[in-house]
Amino acid sequence: MADALTAEILRNALCVAAEEASIVVVRSAYSTFIVEGADAAAAILDARGRLVAHSLSTALIQCASLRSALPFVRRAYPEMRPGDVFVLNDVYQGGIHANDLLVFRPVFVGGEPAYFTGTLIHVADLSGLSAGGMASDATDVYLEGLQLPPVRIATADGPVDDLVRVLAANSRTPDKLVGDLRALIAGANVAARRLEEIIAGYTPSGLAAGIEDYLAHTERRMREGLAAIPAGTHRGEYALDDGHTVRVAVSSDGAGALTVDFDGTDEQVPLPVNAGFSQTHGGVMYAVRCFVDPALPMNEGCFAPVEVRMPRGTLVHCTPPFPGGGRFGTVAAAEEAILSAVTGALEHGGVAASGILQAFSLSGARRPWLHMAFDLGGSGAREDRDGADATGALFGGGRNIIPQAEPIEARLPVRVEEVALIPGSGGAGRHRGGRGTRTVIVMLEDARVDTRGDRLLRPPPGAAGGGPGRAGGYYRRRADGTLEPLGTKATRQPLAAGEALVVETSGGGGYGRPR
């Protein structure tokens, strides 16, 4: 009992250290999207790159990115010194896209880096065709923004000013970028100090043994949950709006080990709909965890029983110079394909699809300002209940990533006129799909809008005889009230003062025959 209690106290101490780091980042950041939407992640990893703990409200997809990127940092910097901090955003080295900066700080034991703290946020702007990294017409990665391989951004003496100036010079909002970067470093430093306190309290060997024990415990519980998936190979697929398809084969040994193979998925395309390998891996973990105890802690023990095969050069594993910034549609398609394959094997009659997040950015046409947001569609219905309204982010998870109206209006030249559920937007069925939302934002000065959505041309289908959800869309509302459709992946479209952006998200699919 004493050993079990000690292990639980240790696990929580590590998780709280990561959570404190994420709170520091949010409270210190300059970008409205971070301060109000709290889109941040923090983690503690060991020198082998294993995920030890993560902030409690972090989206799983971000944990996989921090886990995937650390080996590339170690390869680039075999020699590290206390106080060093490193940053990267390279999608081909475990990153997400140009605007998501990953920061790592080593924690030394006996003169060698034994652990790493990591933080991650979407910074306001870092070059690229469109403000906020939302260019849906980027044909290669260089048009998505400034590319950063692993580089040293700070030492024990403070930030590397030369590099900080280069980053600031490549941002439309340099003050916010530098503030966000300092917040990331501060979060990593706080987590490092907490980890050093834990090491002092438990001794290096005691901490190492405790971590091994609870990672093994998590793995055992993960395998117990996955053992309920019938042995054999189960297949699923899901198509994006443009028809590109993600295909997956989920093979179970019946004892808790899975192989998730994306062989047969369509090839990558010169548009930002591809996903980097870390993002796809994160999506796999989200989908797989839907079939185990949701209270299971997220650490390396969850990754160990799941082998993921992602063919290079496909939608789920892009290679240079193909872009990866619009990855969330492809990652969500991978999740839907896995959910379909596994629920089919469990004789649940399949799974109703969800209306995923619809991203957009508004930026000043005459002076630099930026607003970014993700509006969420309805979740698909399940065998035993209706779909949840306005929560269809799938891999999003984490905190509320939708900034509230009051701080948006206080900081930016816009007025939020409406945020509402769309009646009847959930797919019909014995259980209805979750409802989508309508958001109306009026421009108080000339602006530009970039959109990036999916499941708008191909609305989320139902399951077991249920109907599809209502398709959403993006619209320009003229001053006279006329609505004009914008493209689902529009770039730099003008919005004059007095005009409004209308964002409607898709409803989730229904489950079962409506009668």
Side-chain angles (χ1 to χ4, degrees), residues 160-500:
V160 179
D161 290 334
D162 291 348
L163 179 55
V164 173
R165 285 198 295 271
V166 170
L167 297 179
N170 282 274
S171 175
R172 296 171 176 87
T173 54
D175 292 344
K176 289 187 175 182
L177 171 69
V178 173
D180 290 346
L181 181 59
R182 289 181 178 275
L184 283 165
I185 296 172
N189 287 341
V190 165
R193 286 199 297 272
R194 295 292 176 264
L195 186 55
E196 288 166 352
E197 293 169 1
I198 294 171
I199 293 171
Y202 285 86
T203 73
S205 60
L207 175 60
I211 289 174
E212 292 296 337
D213 285 347
Y214 89 72
L215 293 185
H217 175 68
T218 301
E219 181 178 346
R220 286 194 298 272
R221 291 183 59 197
M222 185 77 172
R223 290 183 183 276
E224 289 170 1
L226 295 179
I229 299 175
T233 298
H234 319 292
R235 302 183 184 276
E237 63 179 51
Y238 198 92
L240 305 178
D241 269 355
D242 59 10
H244 295 294
T245 302
V246 175
R247 299 177 180 86
V248 70
V250 179
S251 299
S252 169
D253 67 355
L258 293 184
T259 300
V260 180
D261 192 342
F262 289 96
D263 186 40
T265 292
D266 287 356
E267 294 182 357
Q268 60 191 355
V269 294
L271 289 172
V273 299
N274 312 297
F277 70 92
S278 74
Q279 297 296 276
T280 301
H281 200 160
V284 169
M285 296 311 301
Y286 176 97
V288 167
R289 278 179 57 97
C290 289
F291 299 96
V292 301
D293 181 356
L296 196 62
M298 186 62 197
N299 56 47
E300 195 66 26
C302 294
F303 286 84
V306 184
E307 179 186 356
V308 185
R309 299 174 182 173
M310 298 169 278
R312 291 174 56 84
T314 62
L315 291 173
V316 296
H317 188 171
C318 61
T319 56
F322 286 82
R327 74 281 174 202
F328 58 80
T330 291
V331 173
E335 293 169 341
E336 295 282 16
I338 294 169
L339 295 174
S340 175
V342 176
T343 56
L346 295 172
E347 298 181 351
H348 286 182
V351 62
S354 299
I356 60 172
L357 63 85
Q358 285 180 225
F360 64 91
S361 67
L362 295 165
S363 56
R366 303 183 184 278
R367 64 185 180 96
W369 58 268
L370 176 65
H371 169 58
M372 299 182 60
F374 298 145
D375 280 11
L376 307 182
S379 296
R382 293 194 279 176
E383 184 181 28
D384 57 349
R385 69 186 65 185
D386 294 345
D389 300 329
T391 55
L394 293 183
F395 67 77
R399 299 178 177 86
N400 171 26
I401 58 175
I402 305 176
Q404 301 302 297
E406 290 81 0
I408 293 173
E409 294 178 338
R411 294 168 180 260
L412 301 167
V414 300
R415 185 176 71 251
V416 181
E417 185 177 282
E418 179 185 7
V419 179
L421 293 172
I422 302 175
S425 54
R430 179 159 51 86
H431 294 286
R432 67 156 178 83
R435 290 170 289 185
T437 63
R438 178 184 295 109
T439 299
V440 181
I441 303 177
V442 180
M443 305 302 113
L444 302 183
E445 64 179 59
D446 292 352
R448 298 187 182 92
V449 60
D450 293 87
T451 67
R452 183 176 284 171
D454 204 82
R455 307 194 185 180
L456 304 176
L457 305 179
R458 297 169 177 258
R470 174 188 181 274
Y474 300 94
Y475 305 90
R476 177 194 291 113
R477 192 185 71 188
R478 297 292 190 183
D480 62 3
T482 304
L483 281 182
E484 298 178 355
L486 296 170
T488 60
K489 295 178 175 62
T491 55
R492 300 175 297 283
Q493 294 297 302
L495 288 173
E499 295 183 336

Side-chain angles (χ1 to χ4, degrees), residues 34-253:
I34 306 304
V35 175
E36 301 299 339
D39 181 27
I44 294 172
L45 308 103
D46 68 10
R48 293 161 55 185
R50 298 185 303 172
L51 181 63
V52 172
H54 73 93
S55 48
L56 305 179
S57 48
T58 296
L60 299 189
I61 197 166
Q62 293 172 324
C63 293
S65 186
L66 289 167
R67 175 183 178 273
S68 299
L70 180 56
F72 293 93
V73 176
R74 300 224 60 190
R75 195 175 306 158
Y77 288 91
E79 299 294 330
M80 297 179 177
R81 298 183 296 272
D84 282 350
V85 181
F86 305 92
V87 64
L88 68 87
N89 68 3
D90 189 344
V91 66
Y92 313 120
Q93 298 190 60
I96 300 174
H97 69 141
N99 284 65
D100 280 312
L101 295 185
L102 286 67
V103 165
F104 295 93
R105 173 173 172 162
V107 176
F108 285 74
V109 174
E112 295 294 331
Y115 302 97
F116 287 81
T117 60
T119 54
L120 184 167
I121 59 173
H122 182 114
V123 298
D125 183 79
L126 194 56
S127 190
L129 277 172
S130 295
M134 289 283 291
S136 293
D137 55 348
T139 54
D140 62 40
V141 72
Y142 307 107
L143 298 177
E144 293 191 303
L146 184 68
Q147 302 300 303
L148 288 174
V151 290
R152 184 181 284 111
I153 190 65
T155 67
D157 297 326
V160 179
D161 290 334
D162 291 348
L163 179 55
V164 173
R165 285 198 295 271
V166 170
L167 297 179
N170 282 274
S171 175
R172 296 171 176 87
T173 54
D175 292 344
K176 289 187 175 182
L177 171 69
V178 173
D180 290 346
L181 181 59
R182 289 181 178 275
L184 283 165
I185 296 172
N189 287 341
V190 165
R193 286 199 297 272
R194 295 292 176 264
L195 186 55
E196 288 166 352
E197 293 169 1
I198 294 171
I199 293 171
Y202 285 86
T203 73
S205 60
L207 175 60
I211 289 174
E212 292 296 337
D213 285 347
Y214 89 72
L215 293 185
H217 175 68
T218 301
E219 181 178 346
R220 286 194 298 272
R221 291 183 59 197
M222 185 77 172
R223 290 183 183 276
E224 289 170 1
L226 295 179
I229 299 175
T233 298
H234 319 292
R235 302 183 184 276
E237 63 179 51
Y238 198 92
L240 305 178
D241 269 355
D242 59 10
H244 295 294
T245 302
V246 175
R247 299 177 180 86
V248 70
V250 179
S251 299
S252 169
D253 67 355

